[in-house]
Amino acid sequence: MATPYACTHLTEVDSTQDEARDRFGGTPELVIADRQRQGRGRLGRHWDQAPRALAASLAFEPSWPETTWPRLTLVAGLAALDALPSQFGHDSPGPGRLGLSWPNDLYRDGRKVGGILVEAGDGVVVAGLGVNLWWPDPPPDRAGLYHKDPGPDAAMDLARAWATSLLGRLAKGPEEWGKEEAEAASVIIGQRVVLADGAEATAVGLDDDGSLVVEEEGRRWSVRSGPVSIDDGEIGEQ
Ligand code: BTN
């Protein structure tokens, strides 16, 4: 049976992260907003969203041990791929397929179309998903998913599908978090990457705990955090 959750749709908020956290009372709480005044990304960065965008946050109390919570960012990304229409997501056969850039970005054709932000405190996790749906004039490294405005209901439907998938994936437990799926969806595995300390390596896979495994000159190691960039553009960070 699907895990129940409460859902609130608001026109404008500072950040859905704060709204979901404030409203959380024990049952998972999904907050969706048409606009955010102070949407935030990782590392305290401002999150700019497209004229038509999905901005949603789900607050919940994970039953998973806290040591496994770093996997939640990847699980939330897989849930986003589940929720997005098949012409973009897992089932897409070709160019235009969405991919995950470890650990928290959604990419399509080399441009960032969305991101995940997971925040935790006092035993409560707030997972946020931002996806740019239609963006006629985006910055150079960004894009919207649709050529035409898909309308206001699209974000609502996608946000609900994302929350349902995320809660379903959580119910499977931390060992079944989807490592192989995340590897298959990755846009950086097999690529040369630049790590936070400036070292270069080849991304070769994911660890069971969700870390990125890289290799250079016969040596393999796991990267748990820090920006990861490909070519000369930063495409992943933790
Ligand atoms: C990133 O790429 O740095 C993560 C971006 C996460 C943005 C979403 S939009 C919904 C939720 N509310 C926020 O303020 N941020 C997240």
Side-chain angles (χ1 to χ4, degrees), residues 206-225:
L206 297 174
D207 254 342
D208 289 340
D209 69 359
S211 302
L212 182 69
V213 182
V214 298
E215 184 176 275
E216 183 67 355
E217 294 178 354
R219 187 171 80 88
R220 275 191 179 203
W221 71 102
S222 293
V223 179
R224 297 178 69 95
S225 65

Side-chain angles (χ1 to χ4, degrees), residues 28-51:
E29 181 80 39
L30 176 68
V31 171
I32 306 162
D34 296 339
R35 290 181 297 282
Q36 298 185 105
R37 287 180 290 266
Q38 293 172 36
R40 58 180 180 267
R42 295 175 54 77
L43 307 174
R45 291 177 181 158
H46 180 73
W47 174 250
D48 273 331
Q49 66 183 57

Side-chain angles (χ1 to χ4, degrees), residues 14-17 36 38-42 45 47 49 54-57 104-105 112 114-117 128-131 237:
D14 282 341
S15 164
T16 55
Q17 293 292 103
Q36 298 185 105
Q38 293 172 36
R40 58 180 180 267
R42 295 175 54 77
R45 291 177 181 158
W47 174 250
Q49 66 183 57
L54 183 174
S57 298
N104 72 307
D105 291 335
K112 180 165 171 165
I116 306 283
L117 176 67
L129 171 65
V131 182
E237 62 193 35

Side-chain angles (χ1 to χ4, degrees), residues 10-119:
L10 300 165
T11 308
E12 188 165 298
V13 295
D14 282 341
S15 164
T16 55
Q17 293 292 103
D18 301 330
E19 283 288 335
R21 171 94 207 189
D22 290 349
R23 289 166 182 264
F24 180 72
T27 300
E29 181 80 39
L30 176 68
V31 171
I32 306 162
D34 296 339
R35 290 181 297 282
Q36 298 185 105
R37 287 180 290 266
Q38 293 172 36
R40 58 180 180 267
R42 295 175 54 77
L43 307 174
R45 291 177 181 158
H46 180 73
W47 174 250
D48 273 331
Q49 66 183 57
R52 182 71 65 203
L54 183 174
S57 298
L58 181 72
F60 58 96
E61 257 169 339
S63 58
W64 296 14
E66 203 164 333
T67 50
T68 64
W69 290 4
R71 297 169 208 185
L72 293 173
T73 302
L74 304 174
V75 176
L78 288 172
L81 296 187
D82 292 339
L84 286 158
S86 59
Q87 77 260 33
F88 304 125
H90 295 293
D91 303 334
S92 169
R97 176 177 170 264
L98 266 172
L100 299 178
S101 177
W102 183 90
N104 72 307
D105 291 335
L106 295 175
Y107 263 72
R108 185 176 183 226
D109 292 337
R111 288 175 161 202
K112 180 165 171 165
V113 295
I116 306 283
L117 176 67
V118 173
E119 298 175 316

